[in-house]
Amino acid sequence: GMRDPPPAANHSDAESSDPNSPQRWATAPSAPSSSSRRRHSRGGDVAAAFSLINRMTDEGVRPDEATFNSLMGVCSRARDTRALERAVALMEKSGIPPGCTTYNIAMKSYVRARDTKSVEEIFKLMKASMKPTTISYNIAIDCYCQIGNMQRAAEYFSEMTENQVEPDIVTFTTLIKGFGRIGCGSRALELYTALCEGNARGGHSGGLKVQEQTFYATINACLLSHLVEDALKVALDMLKEGIPMRSRTLKWMLETAIREDDEKVALATLSAVDPKGRLLKAAEKRWLLEQIDELGGFFFLKSKLRV
């Protein structure tokens, strides 16, 4: 059977005295899925996965680390941290020590549950037995970016580089998203600029190619901070790389320019991103025109949107 989760504040004396024991990993309540249909589907997947492990054992097939990592992956995708702990306990009972992937899957599951305490505990256990990978640090950084604690995220980034673990494009994109979430578009832009310049001169970001998700993360961060002109510059960089603009992002750029009462930037954005007027959908144009009518002005932008 599965043990009850320990209190968040401390661990039971009955737990294993081994500091590396996976049984010391805290358990958070599983997050609800978006619909009952998806919830039942995920629950069925978890039950089926455990049933398969039992069948393997009954037939004399010994599960290995990859088997348990797959089982934990099912639990993680189902956002079922109780089932995850059950899988970890079963893995320990089988005498199989957790590997790097095992720790990463567990951390990712608790990131989804917004359980920073458990993420910290698991990462500490991992560092006591092996060197974390880039993926491991990315998960820890993402944990704090998601809740807006950019100071802790930056600390992990510093620790990462000090331990000579190379950041990748996911590291920078995650940090850019994090700064965007707290309305610090200027910091996001600094990271984006450093990333672009690093491609030319080397350093932590040297050799990394800016990808589509990084461009969009930076554009979004700028717009969340009302830096529409900077968002346009990043968008132009993206277009030069042959990456198309999404209509909803163009709509958001124009909406921000309208709200900032900057018709010049709005016209420049429309002219540079959608010169033929084919990107915006009819409903998006109507919505923008409604915003203009509400605020007044923007005669030239209005005429272009009506074409």
Side-chain angles (χ1 to χ4, degrees):
M2 181 182 65
R3 68 177 177 86
D4 292 332
N10 53 58
H11 294 288
S12 167
D13 293 335
E15 287 182 320
S16 169
S17 59
D18 179 5
N20 292 328
S21 170
Q23 289 186 17
R24 294 182 65 86
W25 298 355
T27 301
S30 55
S33 53
S34 60
S35 69
S36 60
R37 183 174 181 179
R38 287 176 63 189
R39 181 171 62 250
H40 292 313
S41 174
R42 286 170 173 171
D45 289 343
V46 170
F50 275 100
S51 178
L52 184 58
I53 295 291
N54 292 333
R55 181 179 170 187
M56 288 177 65
T57 305
D58 291 342
E59 294 180 359
V61 180
R62 187 174 185 273
D64 58 10
E65 182 187 338
T67 309
F68 284 107
N69 287 343
S70 297
L71 175 61
M72 289 174 64
V74 172
C75 299
S76 180
R77 288 189 293 276
R79 301 176 185 271
D80 190 341
T81 51
R82 289 179 179 271
L84 178 81
E85 185 180 73
R86 182 183 168 196
V88 170
L90 191 59
M91 183 179 186
E92 185 183 48
K93 185 179 179 181
S94 301
I96 300 172
C100 181
T101 301
T102 311
Y103 285 115
N104 288 343
I105 293 171
M107 284 197 297
K108 189 68 175 178
S109 184
Y110 287 114
V111 169
R112 287 171 172 160
R114 296 291 197 272
D115 185 352
T116 57
K117 179 177 174 61
S118 292
V119 173
E120 291 277 4
E121 289 184 356
I122 296 168
F123 204 24
K124 185 177 180 180
L125 292 174
M126 183 184 195
K127 287 187 282 190
S129 59
M130 65 188 69
K131 182 178 180 178
T133 64
T134 299
I135 293 174
S136 309
Y137 275 104
N138 286 348
I139 293 170
I141 289 169
D142 184 44
C143 174
Y144 287 97
C145 285
Q146 286 195 27
I147 62 172
N149 187 343
M150 295 309 297
Q151 180 177 344
R152 188 68 178 123
E155 287 172 0
Y156 268 126
F157 179 76
S158 296
E159 178 185 310
M160 180 183 195
T161 55
E162 287 169 5
N163 291 338
Q164 297 183 324
V165 179
E166 283 296 321
D168 61 9
I169 193 63
V170 175
T171 316
F172 286 96
T173 304
T174 301
L175 288 166
I176 288 170
K177 286 181 179 179
F179 282 118
R181 284 191 184 100
I182 65 171
C184 204
S186 58
R187 291 294 303 277
L189 266 175
E190 287 175 11
L191 269 177
Y192 168 78
T193 302
L195 181 60
C196 293
E197 291 178 352
N199 287 331
R201 69 168 188 267
H204 291 315
S205 59
L208 297 180
K209 181 176 176 59
V210 181
Q211 297 178 356
E212 180 175 342
Q213 61 180 350
T214 316
F215 283 120
Y216 275 109
T218 310
I219 292 170
N220 293 348
C222 290
L223 294 177
L224 286 167
S225 296
H226 310 288
L227 304 174
V228 64
E229 197 165 355
D230 290 309
L232 175 57
K233 292 175 183 176
V234 178
L236 292 176
D237 289 344
M238 184 177 74
L239 293 173
K240 288 176 184 176
E241 292 296 321
I243 300 171
M245 172 66 72
R246 299 168 189 160
S247 65
R248 65 177 180 271
T249 303
L250 174 57
K251 171 179 167 284
W252 189 11
M253 291 173 70
L254 293 173
E255 174 194 353
T256 305
I258 291 168
R259 291 292 176 184
E260 293 296 306
D261 195 23
D262 196 334
E263 185 173 23
K264 182 180 178 180
V265 172
L267 288 169
T269 299
L270 194 61
S271 176
V273 178
D274 190 21
K276 296 182 180 180
R278 297 174 183 173
L279 183 58
L280 287 173
K281 299 171 185 175
E284 292 171 331
K285 289 183 178 181
R286 284 197 300 271
W287 192 89
L288 288 168
L289 287 168
E290 288 173 4
Q291 301 305 303
I292 293 172
D293 288 340
E294 180 183 323
L295 297 172
F298 289 88
F299 174 80
F300 295 105
L301 178 63
K302 204 172 182 180
S303 63
K304 282 186 173 292
L305 289 173
R306 281 179 172 164
V307 173

